[in-house]
């Protein structure tokens, strides 16, 4: 019988506990063996954007780097949930140009940049957002480049039976250790098929990404840790965590309260999932877990305090409460 979720993050306002966010946490070693767990380690969970390094690996294995001479920055943007800042847009456009693909081939949909100064500038320049602003546009650009290498049509690259998606499924099955019959699929926010599998299997797949001898996987890990700004951007947790850790940690969050971190020196992986699906509070749980595991030093924890114990303010910028972790591993 599945284990119940546990209390992970408390949100206190004044003298009352206003909310408690429950969830699940797993730690696996480099071989994917379970080392620690809170809640249900087999909780069925969609990767959402935490799948991006695996999706990128499938495209690197197809040969996109060699075919189009892609840079480490362009590999990093394939793994990104970026802010849509000017540098992010520039790198996505560079990837498309290297492959000779036009922006209208992107099928990720359009939204304004997440980074408000960039969004304000864009709104002054145009009436509606464009696809390259989409936080997933780098991933989609990589999939389009993969389609060309595989001699597959650009149209329909999101279809489950397209060669690009077949390559991605193979990578997920290989690194997670899950047979196809145990993986469920939904559609992500950017319209890509997204795999759902037990939380511990997600952790195992990210640990395997870091541990494999495949040089394409090393290229992805090195690109993300060398260019953390491209993975997220200004004010984003994944970017700041990788900056503070100085390349020791690989971080990739997903929507609906999921986050994955790999400690690259040992190959151990942590995944955390909030049952509320509210990603606002996931960073508090992740920072606490990383500290308890010894993956972050005390001074690094302090640098991440804004994520670990976020302050609640009202519309007058007055502090009215805070969120804090309430669990022990």
């Amino acid at each position: 019988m599945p284990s119940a979720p546990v209390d992970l993050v408390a949100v206190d306002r004044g003298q009352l506990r206003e909310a408690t966010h429950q969830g699940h946490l797993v730690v696996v070693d480099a071989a994917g063996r379970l080392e620690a767990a809170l809640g249900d380690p087999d909780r069925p969970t969609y990767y959402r954007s935490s799948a991006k390094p695996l999706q990128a690996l499938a495209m690197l294995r197809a040969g996109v780097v060699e075919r189009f001479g892609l840079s480490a920055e362009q590999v990093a943007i394939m793994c990104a949930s970026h802010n849509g800042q000017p540098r992010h847009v520039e790198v996505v456009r560079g990837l498309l140009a290297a492959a000779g693909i036009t922006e209208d081939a992107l099928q990720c949909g359009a939204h304004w940049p997440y980074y408000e100064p960039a969004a304000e500038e864009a709104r002054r320049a145009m009436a509606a957002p464009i696809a390259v602003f989409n936080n997933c546009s780098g991933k989609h650009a990589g999939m389009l480049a993969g389609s060309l290498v595989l001699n597959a049509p650009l149209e329909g690259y999101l279809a489950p039976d397209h060669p690009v998606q077949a390559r991605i499924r193979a990578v997920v099955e290989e690194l997670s250790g899950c047979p196809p019959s145990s993986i469920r699929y939904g559609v992500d926010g950017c319209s890509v098929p997204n795999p759902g599998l037990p939380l511990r299997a997600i952790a195992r797949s990210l640990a395997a990404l870091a541990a494999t001898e495949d040089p394409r996987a090393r290229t992805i890990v090195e690109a993300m840790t060398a260019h953390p700004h491209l993975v997220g951007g200004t004010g984003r947790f994944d970017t700041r965590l990788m900056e503070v850790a100085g390349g020791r940690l690989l971080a990739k969050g997903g929507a609906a309260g999921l986050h994955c971190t790999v400690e690259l020196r040992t190959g151990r992986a942590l995944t955390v999932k909030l049952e509320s699906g509210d990603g606002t509070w996931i960073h508090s749980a992740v920072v606490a877990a990383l500290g308890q595991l010894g993956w972050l030093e005390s001074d690094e924890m302090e640098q991440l305090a804004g994520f670990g114990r976020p302050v609640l303010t009202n519309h007058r910028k007055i502090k009215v409460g805070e969120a804090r972790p309430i669990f022990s591993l």
Side-chain angles (χ1 to χ4, degrees):
M1 185 174 180
S3 300
V6 301
D7 294 348
L8 294 180
V9 179
V11 182
D12 296 328
R13 181 185 294 264
Q15 296 177 323
L16 292 178
R17 172 74 43 84
E18 189 164 53
T20 302
H21 293 269
Q22 297 186 316
H24 315 271
L25 180 155
V26 301
V27 181
V28 301
D29 67 14
R33 294 181 292 259
L34 191 66
E35 284 194 346
L38 295 174
D40 184 5
D42 293 314
R43 200 271 193 199
T45 306
Y46 284 118
Y47 277 93
R48 302 299 298 269
S49 283
S50 295
K52 285 176 178 173
L54 307 187
Q55 292 163 328
L57 177 59
M59 299 304 94
L60 265 63
R61 285 180 171 179
V64 295
V65 169
E66 295 82 2
R67 172 79 172 269
F68 302 116
L70 301 186
S71 67
E73 288 189 326
Q74 290 164 341
V75 172
I77 209 72
M78 289 172 62
C79 305
S81 298
H82 64 74
N83 268 346
Q85 293 174 250
R87 183 57 181 155
H88 299 132
V89 173
E90 180 183 13
V91 176
V92 173
R93 284 177 165 159
L95 197 167
L96 290 169
I101 299 168
T102 58
E103 290 181 29
D104 59 8
L106 293 168
Q107 295 181 21
C108 50
H111 61 68
W112 294 112
Y114 286 162
Y115 186 59
E116 192 53 35
E120 290 176 0
E121 182 177 346
R123 290 189 192 102
R124 287 194 294 267
M126 59 189 71
I130 54 178
V132 287
F133 294 158
N134 189 301
N135 74 99
C136 299
S137 61
K139 173 179 75 175
H140 282 252
M143 290 179 180
L144 286 165
S147 298
L148 292 181
V149 174
L150 296 170
N151 295 314
L154 298 185
E155 300 79 8
Y157 71 93
L158 302 182
D161 60 352
H162 191 278
V164 158
Q165 303 305 327
R167 290 289 188 112
I168 292 169
R169 285 197 303 276
V171 168
V172 170
E173 292 160 13
E174 172 196 339
L175 298 190
S176 71
C178 291
S181 61
S182 69
I183 301 176
R184 300 293 180 264
Y185 280 85
V187 178
D188 212 340
C190 64
S191 299
V192 170
N194 197 258
L197 50 159
L199 198 62
R200 74 165 86 197
I202 292 177
R204 175 179 175 173
S205 67
L206 272 296
L209 178 78
T212 179
E213 301 267 328
D214 186 342
R216 279 73 55 98
R218 288 198 298 275
T219 294
I220 286 171
V221 171
E222 290 169 2
M224 292 178 68
T225 53
H227 302 285
H229 177 75
L230 294 177
V231 176
T234 302
R236 297 287 295 281
F237 177 63
D238 288 348
T239 293
R240 192 70 187 119
L241 177 57
M242 288 191 283
E243 288 175 343
V244 167
R248 299 193 325 273
L249 299 178
L250 179 74
K252 189 69 198 77
L258 178 71
H259 195 274
C260 302
T261 313
V262 184
E263 207 288 324
L264 296 172
R265 294 174 299 186
T266 62
R268 298 160 73 201
L270 163 75
T271 60
V272 185
K273 166 69 177 176
L274 293 186
E275 276 294 326
S276 64
D278 189 344
T280 306
W281 315 110
I282 185 66
H283 309 136
S284 178
V286 173
V287 172
L290 294 175
Q292 292 180 38
L293 290 166
W295 298 4
L296 285 174
E297 305 294 337
S298 59
D299 65 312
E300 294 168 338
M301 295 279 289
E302 184 62 29
Q303 293 178 66
L304 295 166
F307 294 103
R309 294 182 70 106
V311 171
L312 307 182
T313 58
N314 65 14
H315 294 297
R316 293 177 57 202
K317 310 301 180 185
I318 298 171
K319 178 180 176 180
V320 295
E322 71 171 4
R324 58 188 179 86
I326 51 173
F327 65 91
S328 296
L329 285 172

